[in-house]
Amino acid sequence: MRRSLIAGAGLGRIAGVPIGVNWSVLVLALLIAGALSEGTLPDTYPGYPNWAYDLTGVLAAVIFLVGLVAHELSHAIVANRNGFEVRRITLWMLGGVADVRGVSPGPGAEARIFAVGPLVSLLVGAFVGGVAAVLALAGLTGLVTGVLTWLAVVHLAIAALNLLPAAPLDGGRILRAALWRWRGDRTQANLTVAWVGRGLGTAVIALGLVALVRGSGLGAVWLALLGWFMLAAASTEEYRTNALETLSEVPVREVMTAQPQTVPPDASVADFLDHYVIRRGHNAFPLTEDGQPVALVTLDRVRQVPPERRGDTTMRQVACPRDQFTFTTPDEPVSDLLPRLNGCAEGRALVMSDGHLVGIVSSRDISRTIQRRAP
Ligand SMILES: [Zn+2]
């Protein structure tokens, strides 16, 4: 339900984490390959055949992308070690954004998670630069050494840019962790970082406009895009913080639907459709055995069963099993429940009290509460 600001296409999985790529990265990689092979390389290192420039340009763009993936992956690995669930990593023009879920392990762990990425970029930059230096010392000054030097500088720049103190850049997260530890107030830390991000975003847009007036077209557009992104991210961050703050005062009992309609797990889908849905108008149903919930089924899951199979498919077969959805209690603050909701039952949780099922809560119930209570 928290949607990433950056959409992207899938690239596959690395270390179990799905990696996506945003269009801006592909554009950037093409621009890098093009600019290097058509302009920078032939101008700086004349005398090579054309294919050598093309090949070097493409290789440089690939190494650039590999460097970005290494940066993001280091975040994912440290986050996993600290109990966060990393759902997806999306590469974009400044590196990547990891979609991280779960309850925060605290400011120290957050600082480590977000500091490791720039550190990896720094190390990649230092390593590639070191190789270039060794080659240069061995007397190999030319195309290869030149492109390695360029890659080293780019990775050092990625490390530096990601350290800008604006969320969702790593620097913003590190600043938040530091403020959180220092003042002990996570909400206030979030709002301060959003405020800094808005200021920085405005400054970057202004810089882009100045660059545009001075005639540096592509760089100016890139800066303006970056600034716009920082502004949008700051607003999202602020909205989210305020929403969570609101929800910290609301217990689950106030948003839940009490005494949900239950269904026996061995009822057939056809039976269920005839006797339950049409009469009740709810769209999620706990399956109970001896009064205990064993699974949770949503209408969407039921509808996926083709009509001819509905007679011999049981509800249990299409339900989300007990170990995959979330349980809560009537007194838990909604803000604590929110990060634990998952996709298995489309963000629904069952509310238990003294070992009995007393209610069901959906992410839609929660967003309705946010809208009602928002200042
Ligand atoms: Zn990063």
Side-chain angles (χ1 to χ4, degrees):
M1 82 166 125
R2 198 196 322 158
R3 223 162 260 133
S4 169
L5 213 58
I6 308 167
L11 263 191
R13 283 167 178 272
I14 299 179
V17 181
I19 309 281
V21 63
N22 176 246
W23 57 268
S24 65
V25 172
L26 295 180
V27 171
L28 193 62
L30 283 175
L31 284 176
I32 287 171
L36 283 175
S37 59
E38 300 298 323
T40 316
L41 296 177
D43 291 350
T44 323
Y45 309 99
Y48 290 88
N50 271 338
W51 64 262
Y53 297 124
D54 291 344
L55 185 68
T56 315
V58 170
L59 280 180
V62 169
I63 295 175
F64 167 78
L65 286 181
V66 169
L68 288 192
V69 172
H71 174 122
E72 285 315 305
L73 210 54
S74 70
H75 285 311
I77 290 167
V78 178
N80 265 332
R81 285 216 180 135
N82 285 280
F84 263 134
E85 179 196 358
V86 182
R87 287 250 177 123
R88 184 183 181 82
I89 288 172
T90 306
L91 296 179
W92 69 299
M93 59 180 176
L94 253 196
V97 172
D99 182 6
V100 177
R101 308 281 168 116
V103 180
S104 171
E110 281 201 11
R112 283 195 297 280
I113 290 167
F114 292 105
V116 71
L119 184 67
V120 164
S121 290
L122 194 76
L123 291 177
V124 171
F127 175 75
V128 176
V131 173
V134 169
L135 288 179
L137 283 176
L140 279 166
T141 51
L143 196 53
V144 173
T145 314
V147 104
L148 288 178
T149 308
W150 179 87
L151 279 167
V153 171
V154 164
H155 278 101
L156 296 179
I158 288 174
L161 280 170
N162 272 289
L163 284 173
L164 286 176
L169 298 179
D170 299 329
R173 304 296 189 203
I174 297 168
L175 175 64
R176 178 180 71 182
L179 289 171
W180 181 11
R181 163 152 294 177
W182 179 39
R183 311 289 281 276
D185 185 342
R186 192 177 187 212
T187 304
Q188 204 48 52
N190 261 324
L191 292 175
T192 307
V193 172
W195 183 79
V196 173
R198 186 165 294 136
L200 216 56
T202 311
V204 169
I205 290 179
L207 212 64
L209 291 179
V210 170
L212 196 67
V213 170
R214 292 197 167 184
S216 55
L218 206 61
V221 172
W222 187 82
L223 275 177
L225 261 177
L226 176 64
W228 171 83
F229 177 79
M230 289 161 88
L231 278 186
S235 301
T236 308
E237 204 68 7
E238 200 171 46
Y239 176 79
R240 227 169 57 75
T241 306
N242 286 329
L244 276 181
E245 185 63 9
T246 305
L247 293 177
S248 68
E249 293 153 11
V250 181
V252 164
R253 75 168 81 249
E254 274 185 35
V255 298
M256 72 181 191
T257 303
Q259 306 305 333
Q261 175 65 47
T262 62
V263 178
D266 296 318
S268 73
V269 168
D271 242 15
F272 166 76
L273 286 173
D274 288 346
H275 296 104
Y276 291 85
V277 183
I278 295 148
R279 258 188 275 150
R280 321 270 171 187
H282 289 171
N283 44 27
F285 301 83
L287 307 185
T288 53
E289 233 165 18
D290 305 324
Q292 286 302 306
V294 293
L296 181 57
V297 77
T298 60
L299 270 189
D300 276 354
R301 281 172 170 261
V302 171
R303 286 202 190 102
Q304 279 165 20
V305 181
E308 66 275 12
R309 306 241 2 246
R310 286 178 180 164
D312 53 319
T313 303
T314 65
M315 292 298 283
R316 194 197 297 269
Q317 286 171 304
V318 292
C320 176
R322 186 188 166 100
D323 55 352
Q324 283 179 34
F325 58 85
T326 309
F327 286 96
T328 177
T329 61
D331 297 322
E332 184 176 24
V334 175
S335 55
D336 290 357
L337 169 64
L338 204 54
R340 294 193 288 117
L341 291 177
N342 62 36
C344 186
E346 289 140 48
R348 288 185 180 81
L350 292 185
V351 190
M352 304 291 287
S353 179
D354 296 327
H356 297 289
L357 174 68
V358 294
I360 184 168
V361 60
S362 72
S363 41
R364 210 195 297 161
D365 297 332
I366 296 175
S367 45
R368 226 179 279 136
T369 309
I370 297 175
Q371 279 159 11
R372 223 178 23 237
R373 297 209 174 204

